Amino acid sequence: MDTGPISNRLPLCLITGSSGFIGRKLCSSVPASDYRIKALVRSETQLQDLDEFDKVVVETMNAEVDWTEILKNVDCIFHCAARAHILRENASDDLKAYRQINVAGTKNLAEQAAVVGVRRFIFLSSIGVFGVNTNLGESFKLLHHPRPLTSYAISKWEAEQALWKVAKETNLEVVVVRPPLVYGPGVKGNFLRLLQLVSSGLPLPFASTRNKRSLVGLDNLVDLLIRCLDHPRAAGQTLLVSDGHDLSTVELVSKLSHYLNKSAAQISIPVPILKLAGRIVGKSKEIDQLTGSLQVDSQLTCDLLDWSPPVSVEDGLRNTAEWFSRQT
């Protein structure tokens, strides 16, 4: 008796935020021999380059969404969609705006997933749950108590707590992954702006900076997320991830300038002066990231899942720089 194509019998994986930096890479990286993909986006205009997958549009992922039809036959969920910023970052109700999507929306999706029998829910959180920086030479570890300081990080921490409550009361297997800054081809935000600065050839004022920061390449993060799909020891875990090789801002700029074939001189300006300048021009957050440390100890994750980053930080940065060069 013909039971239909083999692909129709494969487990179905829902990926939220499929048009985003991480979600798009996940869609193309989950082994087609093992899973079918259902790609979720916010609008029809974000369906480009997703033609090979089943697609569904959910405009606003809040507590009101009815997931009944979308979750039919879904075996696992990668929840990458989130509100990462708002138009008025200093608005008094910005935390409320983050909570509507990142907390209430996540809780609603997880609760309905548990009801229909979804097996595993992999949640992309943030290392910001621990705070915004570490002392030089110290690393965030799971034993550290969460101390989220931004509205985004607070909403991610609250979403984690909501997920663990659902997991405790149901059979849903929850996995939480907390990455630091993610870079790779297609990157946006502060890392893209740093690429633009280095590419400009202008002298950069970081020679006096003494810091270390953990990063994670897109390929490495996606590889870990896929590892979490089926690994029995991933269920019920909070996982920290990084490239396993921390860089100072001086080292990062030097590597990027090399891969971009630019001569980016670094001049020495004291960090307090840089921070003062940052406050004056409204770039305090960016300066703090470039001058402060944020290190992540991901060894427990590597040991637990028998995993190691498949792409070195050098290759990851080179690939990112080559992508950037093709765009300019």
Side-chain angles (χ1 to χ4, degrees):
M1 180 177 65
D2 185 4
T3 57
I6 292 177
S7 62
N8 289 342
R9 301 199 302 269
L10 292 176
L12 180 59
C13 182
L14 174 68
I15 300 179
T16 72
S18 291
S19 64
F21 175 49
I22 298 170
R24 188 179 294 273
K25 180 68 174 179
L26 258 176
C27 284
S28 63
S29 301
V30 173
S33 59
D34 297 328
Y35 281 88
R36 291 176 293 137
I37 298 298
K38 180 178 284 190
L40 186 140
V41 296
R42 287 182 300 170
S43 69
E44 294 286 347
T45 59
Q46 296 179 323
L47 296 178
Q48 305 174 36
D49 305 324
L50 296 172
D51 291 341
E52 61 193 287
F53 309 111
D54 292 335
K55 298 174 288 293
V56 62
V57 175
V58 174
E59 293 182 357
T60 303
M61 292 189 57
N62 54 30
E64 308 305 318
V65 178
D66 183 351
W67 293 94
T68 305
E69 291 298 318
I70 297 172
L71 290 175
K72 278 186 177 179
N73 300 317
V74 169
D75 179 75
C76 58
I77 297 172
F78 284 113
H79 189 32
C80 303
R83 181 185 287 276
H85 58 83
I86 59 176
L87 293 179
R88 296 177 301 132
E89 285 291 341
N90 294 320
S92 60
D93 60 347
D94 65 346
L95 181 54
K96 179 180 178 181
Y98 283 107
R99 281 172 168 159
Q100 288 174 344
I101 307 300
N102 297 353
V103 184
T106 298
K107 179 174 179 286
N108 178 46
L109 174 57
E111 288 175 340
Q112 293 190 46
V115 169
V116 301
V118 172
R119 175 179 60 86
R120 186 166 289 189
F121 191 107
I122 302 166
F123 178 61
L124 192 64
S125 186
S126 168
I127 202 64
V129 164
F130 284 125
V132 296
N133 54 43
T134 58
N135 294 323
L136 182 61
E138 297 180 3
S139 300
F140 283 135
K141 302 178 181 180
L142 276 181
L143 57 83
H144 282 89
H145 185 73
R147 195 168 65 91
L149 299 177
T150 67
S151 295
Y152 172 75
I154 291 169
S155 70
K156 283 292 188 177
W157 169 237
E158 292 178 354
E160 288 184 19
Q161 302 314 294
L163 287 174
W164 293 128
K165 186 175 186 296
V166 174
K168 183 178 180 180
E169 297 172 351
T170 69
N171 292 323
L172 185 67
E173 298 175 351
V174 168
V175 185
V176 170
V177 178
R178 294 178 184 167
L181 187 149
V182 184
Y183 68 93
V187 69
K188 298 179 181 179
N190 289 339
F191 201 92
L192 177 58
R193 285 188 281 274
L194 180 60
L195 284 166
Q196 293 166 340
L197 277 174
V198 174
S199 180
S200 72
L202 295 172
L204 299 180
F206 304 121
S208 295
T209 301
R210 299 291 181 266
N211 70 334
K212 287 287 185 179
R213 296 193 74 88
S214 296
L215 309 173
V216 62
L218 180 61
D219 288 331
N220 289 336
L221 175 59
V222 166
D223 190 76
L224 176 69
L225 291 171
I226 293 173
R227 187 76 156 210
C228 292
L229 269 174
D230 295 306
H231 201 295
R233 290 199 295 272
Q237 298 293 333
T238 297
L239 305 172
L240 311 187
V241 59
S242 75
D243 283 336
H245 184 109
D246 299 344
L247 297 173
S248 67
T249 297
V250 172
E251 291 170 325
L252 178 59
V253 169
S254 177
K255 289 181 183 295
L256 289 177
S257 64
H258 174 69
Y259 297 139
L260 289 169
N261 294 315
K262 298 289 183 178
S263 178
Q266 299 195 61
I267 58 178
S268 182
I269 296 181
V271 171
I273 294 179
L274 285 177
K275 290 189 173 184
L276 176 61
R279 287 196 295 272
I280 292 173
V281 300
K283 296 293 183 181
S284 291
K285 180 179 178 181
E286 290 83 352
I287 295 298
D288 287 345
Q289 288 178 336
L290 288 167
T291 59
S293 294
L294 193 159
Q295 295 177 262
V296 179
D297 186 345
S298 57
Q299 190 58 51
L300 282 177
T301 297
C302 296
D303 293 343
L304 182 70
L305 303 186
D306 190 25
W307 177 83
S308 59
V311 179
S312 70
V313 67
E314 287 79 12
D315 286 344
L317 292 174
R318 182 185 296 108
N319 293 339
T320 307
E322 290 175 352
W323 161 82
F324 177 80
S325 295
R326 291 194 297 269
Q327 314 305 308
T328 56

